[in-house]
Amino acid sequence: MTNITYTPYNTMTRAALVREAKSAWGVSSLLAKPDANPKLAKGEKQGVLSAPLHLAPHNLSGYNVCPMATQGCAAACLHTAGNPAYQSGKDRARIARTQLYFGNRRLFFALLIAEIAAHEKAAKRKGMIAAVRLNATSDIRWESVRLITRGPNFSPIPETVFSLFPNVVFYDYTKIANRRNLPVNYHLTFSLADGNDAQAVEAFHNGLNVAVVFDTKRNKPLPSTFSLMTEQGGFDAQVIDGDKTDFRPSDGRGVIVGLRAKGDAIGDTSGFVRQAAPLDYSSQIELSKFVKEAA
Protein backbone atom coordinates (compact mmCIF):
# COMPACT_ATOMS: atom_id res chain seq x y z
CA MET A 1 0.00 0.00 0.00
CA THR A 2 1.35 3.43 -0.96
CA ASN A 3 0.22 6.63 0.76
CA ILE A 4 0.65 9.97 -1.03
CA THR A 5 0.07 13.38 0.53
CA TYR A 6 -0.13 15.77 -2.39
CA THR A 7 -0.54 19.10 -0.60
CA PRO A 8 0.42 21.88 -1.29
CA TYR A 9 0.00 20.93 -4.95
CA ASN A 10 -3.73 20.31 -4.47
CA THR A 11 -4.21 24.02 -3.79
CA MET A 12 -2.69 25.00 -7.16
CA THR A 13 -4.65 25.58 -10.34
CA ARG A 14 -4.35 23.16 -13.22
CA ALA A 15 -2.44 25.77 -15.24
CA ALA A 16 0.04 26.23 -12.40
CA LEU A 17 0.52 22.48 -12.09
CA VAL A 18 1.22 22.22 -15.82
CA ARG A 19 3.80 24.99 -15.61
CA GLU A 20 5.51 23.23 -12.71
CA ALA A 21 5.50 19.84 -14.42
CA LYS A 22 6.69 21.24 -17.73
CA SER A 23 9.53 23.35 -16.33
CA ALA A 24 10.88 20.66 -13.99
CA TRP A 25 10.06 17.44 -15.85
CA GLY A 26 9.18 18.32 -19.44
CA VAL A 27 5.59 17.09 -18.94
CA SER A 28 2.80 19.23 -20.40
CA SER A 29 -0.05 16.75 -19.81
CA LEU A 30 -0.73 13.28 -18.46
CA LEU A 31 -3.96 12.15 -20.10
CA ALA A 32 -4.06 11.97 -23.88
CA LYS A 33 -7.01 13.45 -25.73
CA PRO A 34 -9.86 10.97 -26.33
CA ASP A 35 -9.59 11.30 -30.11
CA ALA A 36 -5.80 10.77 -30.12
CA ASN A 37 -6.27 6.98 -30.12
CA PRO A 38 -8.52 5.67 -32.93
CA LYS A 39 -9.56 2.61 -30.92
CA LEU A 40 -10.52 4.62 -27.84
CA ALA A 41 -12.37 7.06 -30.09
CA LYS A 42 -14.65 4.20 -31.20
CA GLY A 43 -16.19 4.32 -27.73
CA GLU A 44 -17.80 7.64 -28.56
CA LYS A 45 -20.35 5.72 -30.63
CA GLN A 46 -21.38 4.09 -27.34
CA GLY A 47 -21.57 7.44 -25.60
CA VAL A 48 -18.23 6.94 -23.85
CA LEU A 49 -15.45 9.54 -23.76
CA SER A 50 -12.20 7.72 -22.88
CA ALA A 51 -8.88 9.32 -21.97
CA PRO A 52 -5.73 7.20 -21.58
CA LEU A 53 -2.61 7.68 -19.48
CA HIS A 54 0.44 6.49 -21.42
CA LEU A 55 3.60 5.81 -19.42
CA ALA A 56 6.79 4.35 -20.88
CA PRO A 57 6.15 0.58 -20.86
CA HIS A 58 8.20 -2.10 -19.13
CA ASN A 59 11.61 -0.58 -18.22
CA LEU A 60 11.95 1.86 -21.13
CA SER A 61 12.24 4.81 -18.72
CA GLY A 62 14.64 3.10 -16.33
CA TYR A 63 11.72 2.21 -14.07
CA ASN A 64 9.72 -0.99 -14.48
CA VAL A 65 5.98 -0.23 -14.65
CA CYS A 66 5.06 -3.71 -15.95
CA PRO A 67 6.11 -6.17 -13.22
CA MET A 68 4.67 -9.24 -15.00
CA ALA A 69 5.85 -8.36 -18.49
CA THR A 70 6.89 -11.31 -20.63
CA GLN A 71 9.54 -11.27 -23.31
CA GLY A 72 6.89 -11.43 -26.00
CA CYS A 73 4.67 -8.66 -24.68
CA ALA A 74 7.66 -6.38 -24.05
CA ALA A 75 8.76 -6.86 -27.66
CA ALA A 76 5.25 -6.47 -29.10
CA CYS A 77 3.88 -3.75 -26.81
CA LEU A 78 1.14 -1.50 -28.20
CA HIS A 79 3.51 1.35 -27.38
CA THR A 80 4.86 0.77 -30.90
CA ALA A 81 1.44 0.83 -32.60
CA GLY A 82 0.70 3.85 -34.78
CA ASN A 83 2.70 5.97 -37.17
CA PRO A 84 6.46 5.20 -36.78
CA ALA A 85 7.26 8.82 -37.66
CA TYR A 86 5.94 9.89 -34.26
CA GLN A 87 7.58 7.12 -32.23
CA SER A 88 10.54 9.14 -30.94
CA GLY A 89 8.22 11.90 -29.75
CA LYS A 90 5.98 9.33 -28.01
CA ASP A 91 9.03 7.83 -26.33
CA ARG A 92 10.17 11.17 -24.95
CA ALA A 93 6.73 12.16 -23.66
CA ARG A 94 6.02 8.80 -22.02
CA ILE A 95 9.47 8.56 -20.46
CA ALA A 96 9.02 12.07 -19.02
CA ARG A 97 5.65 11.15 -17.50
CA THR A 98 7.08 8.00 -15.97
CA GLN A 99 10.04 9.85 -14.52
CA LEU A 100 7.62 12.39 -13.03
CA TYR A 101 5.60 9.54 -11.49
CA PHE A 102 8.67 8.15 -9.74
CA GLY A 103 10.44 11.46 -9.17
CA ASN A 104 7.63 13.62 -7.75
CA ARG A 105 4.61 11.51 -6.91
CA ARG A 106 2.78 14.41 -5.25
CA LEU A 107 2.96 16.63 -8.31
CA PHE A 108 2.06 13.71 -10.57
CA PHE A 109 -1.15 12.92 -8.70
CA ALA A 110 -2.16 16.53 -8.26
CA LEU A 111 -1.94 17.03 -12.03
CA LEU A 112 -3.64 13.68 -12.72
CA ILE A 113 -6.58 14.59 -10.46
CA ALA A 114 -6.91 18.01 -12.10
CA GLU A 115 -6.95 16.42 -15.56
CA ILE A 116 -9.47 13.72 -14.64
CA ALA A 117 -11.74 16.40 -13.16
CA ALA A 118 -11.51 18.39 -16.40
CA HIS A 119 -12.15 15.26 -18.45
CA GLU A 120 -15.21 14.40 -16.37
CA LYS A 121 -16.62 17.90 -16.92
CA ALA A 122 -16.00 17.66 -20.67
CA ALA A 123 -17.84 14.33 -20.85
CA LYS A 124 -20.75 15.73 -18.84
CA ARG A 125 -21.07 18.70 -21.22
CA LYS A 126 -21.35 16.25 -24.11
CA GLY A 127 -23.80 14.01 -22.26
CA MET A 128 -21.32 11.14 -22.32
CA ILE A 129 -19.82 8.68 -19.83
CA ALA A 130 -16.37 9.73 -18.63
CA ALA A 131 -13.88 6.86 -18.80
CA VAL A 132 -10.16 6.71 -18.04
CA ARG A 133 -7.46 4.11 -18.77
CA LEU A 134 -4.64 4.62 -16.27
CA ASN A 135 -2.60 1.69 -17.58
CA ALA A 136 -2.76 2.25 -21.32
CA THR A 137 0.90 1.17 -21.59
CA SER A 138 1.72 0.11 -18.01
CA ASP A 139 0.49 -2.29 -15.31
CA ILE A 140 0.49 -0.43 -12.00
CA ARG A 141 -1.74 -1.41 -9.06
CA TRP A 142 -3.50 1.95 -8.86
CA GLU A 143 -6.03 0.56 -6.38
CA SER A 144 -3.18 0.24 -3.86
CA VAL A 145 -2.26 3.93 -3.94
CA ARG A 146 -3.88 6.03 -1.20
CA LEU A 147 -4.05 9.79 -1.71
CA ILE A 148 -4.20 11.67 1.58
CA THR A 149 -6.69 14.53 1.31
CA ARG A 150 -7.99 16.86 4.01
CA GLY A 151 -11.47 16.81 5.51
CA PRO A 152 -13.54 19.75 6.84
CA ASN A 153 -11.50 19.79 10.05
CA PHE A 154 -8.21 19.29 8.18
CA SER A 155 -8.16 15.68 9.29
CA PRO A 156 -6.36 13.31 6.88
CA ILE A 157 -8.66 11.19 4.69
CA PRO A 158 -7.18 8.31 2.69
CA GLU A 159 -8.71 8.19 -0.79
CA THR A 160 -7.96 6.46 -4.06
CA VAL A 161 -8.28 8.03 -7.47
CA PHE A 162 -11.32 5.78 -7.89
CA SER A 163 -13.11 7.02 -4.76
CA LEU A 164 -12.33 10.63 -5.69
CA PHE A 165 -14.16 10.13 -8.98
CA PRO A 166 -17.02 7.69 -8.30
CA ASN A 167 -18.84 8.70 -11.51
CA VAL A 168 -15.83 8.04 -13.75
CA VAL A 169 -15.44 4.52 -15.19
CA PHE A 170 -11.85 3.29 -15.03
CA TYR A 171 -10.71 0.23 -16.98
CA ASP A 172 -7.44 -1.48 -17.86
CA TYR A 173 -5.72 -4.63 -19.00
CA THR A 174 -3.43 -6.46 -16.56
CA LYS A 175 -1.08 -9.43 -16.38
CA ILE A 176 -1.31 -9.53 -12.59
CA ALA A 177 -3.74 -12.38 -11.94
CA ASN A 178 -4.36 -11.83 -8.21
CA ARG A 179 -5.85 -8.33 -8.36
CA ARG A 180 -9.00 -8.71 -6.29
CA ASN A 181 -11.39 -6.56 -4.26
CA LEU A 182 -11.27 -3.86 -6.90
CA PRO A 183 -13.19 -0.58 -6.66
CA VAL A 184 -16.67 -0.85 -8.17
CA ASN A 185 -15.76 1.65 -10.89
CA TYR A 186 -12.55 -0.15 -11.95
CA HIS A 187 -12.84 -2.90 -14.59
CA LEU A 188 -9.90 -5.20 -15.41
CA THR A 189 -9.30 -7.64 -18.26
CA PHE A 190 -6.44 -10.15 -17.99
CA SER A 191 -3.95 -10.23 -20.88
CA LEU A 192 -2.77 -13.61 -22.12
CA ALA A 193 0.88 -13.60 -23.18
CA ASP A 194 3.76 -15.99 -23.69
CA GLY A 195 4.27 -18.07 -20.55
CA ASN A 196 1.35 -16.87 -18.42
CA ASP A 197 -1.26 -19.43 -19.46
CA ALA A 198 -1.73 -20.72 -15.89
CA GLN A 199 -2.28 -17.18 -14.61
CA ALA A 200 -4.82 -16.60 -17.39
CA VAL A 201 -6.77 -19.68 -16.30
CA GLU A 202 -6.65 -18.46 -12.69
CA ALA A 203 -7.87 -14.99 -13.69
CA PHE A 204 -10.65 -16.41 -15.88
CA HIS A 205 -11.97 -18.60 -13.08
CA ASN A 206 -11.74 -15.61 -10.72
CA GLY A 207 -14.19 -13.73 -12.93
CA LEU A 208 -11.91 -11.73 -15.25
CA ASN A 209 -12.29 -11.87 -18.99
CA VAL A 210 -9.09 -12.77 -20.83
CA ALA A 211 -7.74 -10.79 -23.79
CA VAL A 212 -5.99 -12.81 -26.48
CA VAL A 213 -3.97 -11.34 -29.35
CA PHE A 214 -4.49 -13.41 -32.50
CA ASP A 215 -2.55 -13.51 -35.74
CA THR A 216 -5.77 -12.57 -37.53
CA LYS A 217 -5.17 -9.96 -40.20
CA ARG A 218 -6.87 -6.58 -40.15
CA ASN A 219 -10.59 -6.67 -41.10
CA LYS A 220 -10.58 -10.50 -41.06
CA PRO A 221 -12.90 -12.39 -38.69
CA LEU A 222 -11.58 -13.65 -35.38
CA PRO A 223 -12.16 -17.27 -34.29
CA SER A 224 -15.56 -17.86 -32.69
CA THR A 225 -14.16 -19.66 -29.64
CA PHE A 226 -10.81 -20.06 -27.90
CA SER A 227 -9.61 -22.88 -25.68
CA LEU A 228 -6.71 -22.83 -23.23
CA MET A 229 -5.41 -25.90 -21.45
CA THR A 230 -2.79 -26.06 -18.67
CA GLU A 231 -1.87 -28.57 -15.99
CA GLN A 232 -3.80 -26.40 -13.51
CA GLY A 233 -7.02 -26.41 -15.53
CA GLY A 234 -8.48 -24.80 -18.60
CA PHE A 235 -11.38 -23.07 -20.24
CA ASP A 236 -13.25 -22.92 -23.51
CA ALA A 237 -15.09 -19.66 -24.16
CA GLN A 238 -16.70 -17.48 -26.80
CA VAL A 239 -14.50 -14.89 -28.51
CA ILE A 240 -15.80 -11.35 -28.90
CA ASP A 241 -14.21 -8.77 -31.19
CA GLY A 242 -12.23 -6.47 -28.89
CA ASP A 243 -11.19 -4.24 -31.77
CA LYS A 244 -14.71 -2.90 -32.28
CA THR A 245 -14.35 -0.80 -29.15
CA ASP A 246 -11.78 -0.32 -26.43
CA PHE A 247 -14.43 0.11 -23.73
CA ARG A 248 -14.04 -3.23 -21.96
CA PRO A 249 -16.65 -2.60 -19.22
CA SER A 250 -19.32 -3.12 -21.92
CA ASP A 251 -18.17 -6.71 -22.48
CA GLY A 252 -20.17 -9.60 -21.08
CA ARG A 253 -18.66 -11.85 -18.43
CA GLY A 254 -16.91 -15.13 -19.16
CA VAL A 255 -15.70 -14.22 -22.66
CA ILE A 256 -12.42 -14.01 -24.51
CA VAL A 257 -11.60 -10.56 -25.82
CA GLY A 258 -10.06 -11.18 -29.23
CA LEU A 259 -7.56 -8.64 -30.55
CA ARG A 260 -5.68 -8.55 -33.84
CA ALA A 261 -1.90 -8.21 -33.73
CA LYS A 262 -0.71 -4.63 -34.28
CA GLY A 263 2.60 -2.80 -34.47
CA ASP A 264 5.60 -4.95 -33.55
CA ALA A 265 3.24 -7.79 -32.55
CA ILE A 266 2.66 -8.61 -36.24
CA GLY A 267 4.78 -11.66 -37.05
CA ASP A 268 5.45 -12.47 -33.38
CA THR A 269 6.70 -16.02 -32.76
CA SER A 270 7.23 -15.87 -28.99
CA GLY A 271 3.79 -17.19 -28.10
CA PHE A 272 2.42 -13.77 -27.19
CA VAL A 273 0.33 -13.82 -30.38
CA ARG A 274 -1.86 -16.91 -30.69
CA GLN A 275 -2.88 -18.71 -33.87
CA ALA A 276 -6.45 -18.09 -34.95
CA ALA A 277 -6.71 -21.42 -36.76
CA PRO A 278 -9.02 -23.78 -34.84
CA LEU A 279 -7.79 -27.06 -33.38
CA ASP A 280 -8.67 -30.19 -35.31
CA TYR A 281 -11.79 -32.07 -34.23
CA SER A 282 -9.98 -34.80 -32.27
CA SER A 283 -8.04 -32.16 -30.32
CA GLN A 284 -11.27 -30.34 -29.53
CA ILE A 285 -12.72 -33.54 -28.08
CA GLU A 286 -9.65 -34.13 -25.90
CA LEU A 287 -9.67 -30.51 -24.74
CA SER A 288 -13.38 -30.62 -23.92
CA LYS A 289 -12.81 -33.78 -21.87
CA PHE A 290 -9.90 -32.14 -20.05
CA VAL A 291 -11.89 -29.03 -19.18
CA LYS A 292 -14.78 -31.10 -17.82
CA GLU A 293 -12.44 -33.18 -15.65
CA ALA A 294 -10.66 -30.06 -14.36
CA ALA A 295 -13.90 -28.29 -13.45
Side-chain angles (χ1 to χ4, degrees), residues 197-243:
D197 292 29
Q199 290 78 18
V201 171
E202 175 189 356
F204 188 82
H205 289 302
N206 283 337
L208 296 187
N209 291 338
V210 175
V212 180
V213 180
F214 290 104
D215 59 0
T216 304
K217 296 185 182 300
R218 184 179 180 182
N219 297 325
K220 297 297 182 181
L222 292 161
S224 59
T225 61
F226 177 75
S227 303
L228 186 65
M229 179 176 65
T230 73
E231 293 181 358
Q232 293 76 22
F235 59 75
D236 188 2
Q238 175 192 1
V239 176
I240 65 170
D241 192 337
D243 286 330

Side-chain angles (χ1 to χ4, degrees), residues 53-129:
L53 169 63
H54 287 285
L55 299 181
H58 194 30
N59 54 12
L60 181 63
S61 67
Y63 299 97
N64 190 355
V65 296
C66 303
M68 302 302 291
T70 63
Q71 183 177 356
C73 81
C77 181
L78 280 177
H79 172 69
T80 60
N83 192 330
Y86 302 111
Q87 189 63 46
S88 61
K90 286 197 305 186
D91 288 349
R92 288 192 299 272
R94 294 175 183 183
I95 288 172
R97 291 188 199 110
T98 310
Q99 291 175 342
L100 171 59
Y101 174 79
F102 286 98
N104 191 335
R105 200 71 59 88
R106 295 181 181 186
L107 175 57
F108 179 95
F109 274 104
L111 181 56
L112 179 63
I113 288 167
E115 292 193 10
I116 293 176
H119 175 65
E120 184 179 22
K121 289 180 180 178
K124 186 176 181 179
R125 286 195 301 269
K126 296 181 178 182
M128 303 175 73
I129 297 170

Side-chain angles (χ1 to χ4, degrees), residues 90-168:
K90 286 197 305 186
D91 288 349
R92 288 192 299 272
R94 294 175 183 183
I95 288 172
R97 291 188 199 110
T98 310
Q99 291 175 342
L100 171 59
Y101 174 79
F102 286 98
N104 191 335
R105 200 71 59 88
R106 295 181 181 186
L107 175 57
F108 179 95
F109 274 104
L111 181 56
L112 179 63
I113 288 167
E115 292 193 10
I116 293 176
H119 175 65
E120 184 179 22
K121 289 180 180 178
K124 186 176 181 179
R125 286 195 301 269
K126 296 181 178 182
M128 303 175 73
I129 297 170
V132 173
R133 276 193 63 184
L134 295 173
N135 279 329
T137 43
S138 55
D139 199 0
I140 294 171
R141 290 180 183 262
W142 297 100
E143 67 274 16
S144 297
V145 180
R146 294 290 184 270
L147 309 174
I148 306 301
T149 60
R150 298 292 175 181
N153 299 320
F154 297 98
S155 57
I157 301 175
E159 300 264 19
T160 64
V161 67
F162 310 106
S163 62
L164 286 173
F165 297 98
N167 296 319
V168 173

Side-chain angles (χ1 to χ4, degrees), residues 257-280:
V257 181
L259 303 168
R260 295 165 183 81
K262 304 171 187 66
D264 287 349
I266 298 175
D268 168 84
T269 58
S270 72
F272 171 73
V273 176
R274 304 299 169 109
Q275 291 185 349
L279 299 173
D280 61 52

Side-chain angles (χ1 to χ4, degrees), residues 1 20 29-30 45 48 50 77 81 118 125 132 143 146 214 262 293:
M1 191 70 67
E20 178 79 10
S29 66
L30 293 178
K45 295 180 180 179
V48 179
S50 296
C77 181
R125 286 195 301 269
V132 173
E143 67 274 16
R146 294 290 184 270
F214 290 104
K262 304 171 187 66
E293 290 177 349

